[in-house]
Amino acid sequence: MKYMSWGRTVVFLVMLLAGLQIIHMVLLSRLEEQNNYLERVQLTRTMLESSRLTEKLSSEMKKKIQKSSILDTAGAYNIINFWLKSATKQEQPRLKDVLTIVTHCSVDHLFKLIDLSKRWQGPVSVALFATENDTEFAEAMIIKLHYCVPSIRQNISFHLVYPLGQTPRTLNSASVLTKHHNFCDIRTFMQTQTKQIKVNYEDTGIRYPNNLLRNVALKNAKSDFVLMTDIDMLPKSNLLTDFKHFVQTHRRSIANTSTFDRTVFVVPAFEAREDITPPDSKQRLLDLWSMHDVQPFYIQPCVKCQRYTNYDRWKSLVPSSSLTVGYEVEWKDPWEPFYITQPSIPLYDERFKQFGFNRISQVMY
């Protein structure tokens, strides 16, 4: 009897354990269903929120195309200032001692703003050129960037330039952008869409108005200083705060300089192999330079265009803990430096289009 009792106990325990496992599996299944349900609810809620926001942004951008365009001085292009404003621009009409990046691009280069926004936490004024066939994609891309990248939403304002006589196409419904859970997979969207747009405008008889674009972005930079760059250039990550400190420290000596209105602060520019991470210190830059992973900008195609930056002299400067003026150089033809200056500088000659000595038409003044 004792053996039988022990056997019944074992059987009972086995049955109890099996029952508990079944209950455990049922509870886990229900918990998984509940988590999946909550994820679906959250995803649906996020999609609804993004759908409302994208529709609002799209509606505002459409209205500006319909009502807010102006002509350039030659009467050849329509301009829409602040096609989409940054959050900072809406809150602060003027930014004291702040440096704004001024740049321009065509629709196929909009994605480059993602990397720029990671390194630059200050305002950016971007003039975008598009034809009537590209504006629908441009609208979609800008909405995605604005919604998905907080630093772009906070700091980057977009201005649109398109040829006179064209009617920009816009999204029928921006909500279609948010139907997929990978709404913020911008690079994939960019890769699939750029195959359908025309990016070499010269093939269609349209010339890229780079100097007009520079002027549009410059006029809409509402800060005390601007950094004139190309869209594929990345600044030193702490340049924004370093330059603000430089201005505040040297304000009196700068303001009393009789030639200040005709002075620019040249920023030495370099180009690197695509797999190189941009350096954040001069020493790291010098190391990459010595390994031939970076080189002075445009040094091979046009050595005379950057010669007067005097990279060898800059290279020999003793590193400083704060931003300083390294040396002074008088402008000489055909130098085309990248520089920081006041937004009151002479405008670019808008007769220059496409590429070739377009920046020199402004800096020589």
Side-chain angles (χ1 to χ4, degrees):
M1 291 293 293
K2 290 183 179 180
Y3 291 111
M4 291 180 60
S5 176
W6 173 251
R8 291 194 191 99
T9 302
V10 171
V11 171
F12 173 75
L13 289 174
V14 169
M15 293 178 63
L16 177 62
L17 181 60
L20 288 174
Q21 286 179 332
I22 292 172
I23 293 172
H24 177 67
M25 292 174 64
V26 170
L27 290 175
L28 284 177
S29 177
R30 290 181 178 177
L31 180 61
E32 185 177 358
E33 289 179 3
Q34 184 178 10
N35 288 337
N36 289 338
Y37 170 75
L38 292 174
E39 288 178 2
R40 289 195 298 273
V41 169
Q42 182 61 37
L43 179 60
T44 302
R45 185 177 300 162
T46 302
M47 291 176 67
L48 285 173
E49 290 175 355
S50 61
S51 178
R52 293 191 191 101
L53 178 60
T54 54
E55 284 290 356
K56 179 183 177 183
L57 293 175
S58 179
S59 176
E60 292 174 355
M61 294 170 80
K62 284 185 177 71
K63 287 179 181 177
K64 289 184 178 180
I65 287 178
Q66 294 166 357
K67 300 179 179 180
S68 302
S69 67
I70 59 175
L71 287 177
D72 70 315
T73 54
Y77 298 93
N78 284 301
I79 301 169
I80 300 177
N81 295 314
F82 294 104
W83 194 25
L84 185 61
K85 288 182 179 180
S86 69
T88 301
K89 177 64 186 71
Q90 293 176 7
E91 295 172 359
Q92 301 177 17
R94 186 74 184 183
L95 301 170
K96 184 176 177 58
D97 295 337
V98 170
L99 184 59
T100 295
I101 283 184
V102 171
T103 190
H104 60 94
C105 69
S106 51
V107 294
D108 57 314
H109 286 156
L110 279 168
F111 74 97
K112 294 183 177 180
L113 292 171
I114 298 174
D115 290 336
L116 175 62
S117 69
K118 292 177 181 178
R119 294 181 64 84
W120 184 262
Q121 299 303 312
V124 180
S125 179
V126 182
L128 170 70
F129 180 69
T131 64
E132 59 187 347
N133 297 324
D134 302 335
T135 46
E136 183 177 5
F137 167 74
E139 179 188 350
M141 187 65 179
I142 289 173
I143 288 173
K144 281 178 173 285
L145 290 170
H146 187 85
Y147 179 81
C148 299
V149 187
S151 53
I152 289 181
R153 180 169 62 251
Q154 189 69 22
N155 297 314
I156 299 184
S157 292
F158 297 88
H159 323 288
L160 177 64
V161 176
Y162 60 95
L164 183 67
Q166 295 193 1
T167 304
R169 298 176 184 175
T170 56
L171 294 170
N172 291 327
S173 174
S175 61
V176 300
L177 297 174
T178 59
K179 286 185 177 180
H180 305 289
H181 68 278
N182 60 345
F183 170 67
C184 287
D185 186 359
I186 297 174
R187 294 188 186 275
T188 300
F189 175 76
M190 187 78 192
Q191 292 168 356
T192 57
Q193 294 297 315
T194 49
K195 297 176 182 178
Q196 306 174 27
I197 63 175
K198 192 75 173 178
V199 295
N200 191 349
Y201 299 116
E202 195 171 17
D203 291 345
T204 62
I206 298 172
R207 302 174 68 195
Y208 183 77
N210 39 25
N211 276 359
L212 169 61
L213 294 165
R214 289 187 175 103
N215 286 342
V216 170
L218 177 61
K219 290 176 183 177
N220 288 306
K222 307 302 181 183
S223 60
D224 286 349
F225 296 93
V226 292
L227 169 58
M228 313 296 297
T229 69
D230 290 339
I231 192 67
D232 53 357
M233 305 191 83
L234 296 175
K236 190 170 182 286
S237 58
N238 57 350
L239 178 60
L240 179 70
T241 53
D242 284 353
F243 186 77
K244 185 172 184 177
H245 181 263
F246 168 78
V247 171
Q248 293 174 341
T249 303
H250 301 281
R251 180 185 303 280
R252 183 171 298 178
S253 59
I254 291 174
N256 290 339
T257 303
S258 59
T259 60
F260 180 63
D261 290 341
R262 297 174 59 83
T263 299
V264 301
F265 300 97
V266 174
V267 180
F270 293 82
E271 52 193 14
R273 293 193 292 107
E274 289 188 5
D275 59 338
I276 296 298
T277 300
D280 271 329
S281 69
K282 181 177 180 179
Q283 186 56 55
R284 176 56 180 162
L285 176 59
L286 294 178
D287 291 342
L288 292 171
W289 192 352
S290 66
M291 293 185 290
H292 305 289
D293 288 328
V294 304
Q295 63 183 18
F297 178 77
Y298 220 55
I299 195 68
Q300 293 177 346
C302 186
V303 63
K304 61 184 179 181
C305 297
Q306 301 299 322
R307 175 190 301 161
Y308 300 108
T309 299
N310 200 340
Y311 284 92
D312 288 336
R313 184 176 179 183
W314 179 86
K315 185 177 183 179
S316 66
L317 291 175
V318 177
S320 172
S321 60
S322 59
L323 191 64
T324 60
V325 174
Y327 47 90
E328 296 184 10
V329 181
E330 291 289 331
W331 180 84
K332 296 181 180 67
D333 185 23
W335 191 20
E336 289 189 319
F338 295 94
Y339 55 84
I340 295 170
T341 186
Q342 299 175 96
S344 57
I345 57 172
L347 295 176
Y348 291 82
D349 188 335
E350 296 176 5
R351 294 173 297 177
F352 283 82
K353 297 179 176 67
Q354 289 299 112
F355 302 97
F357 298 101
N358 47 76
R359 288 188 292 115
I360 198 174
S361 65
Q362 184 269 347
V363 74
M364 66 186 296
Y365 292 107

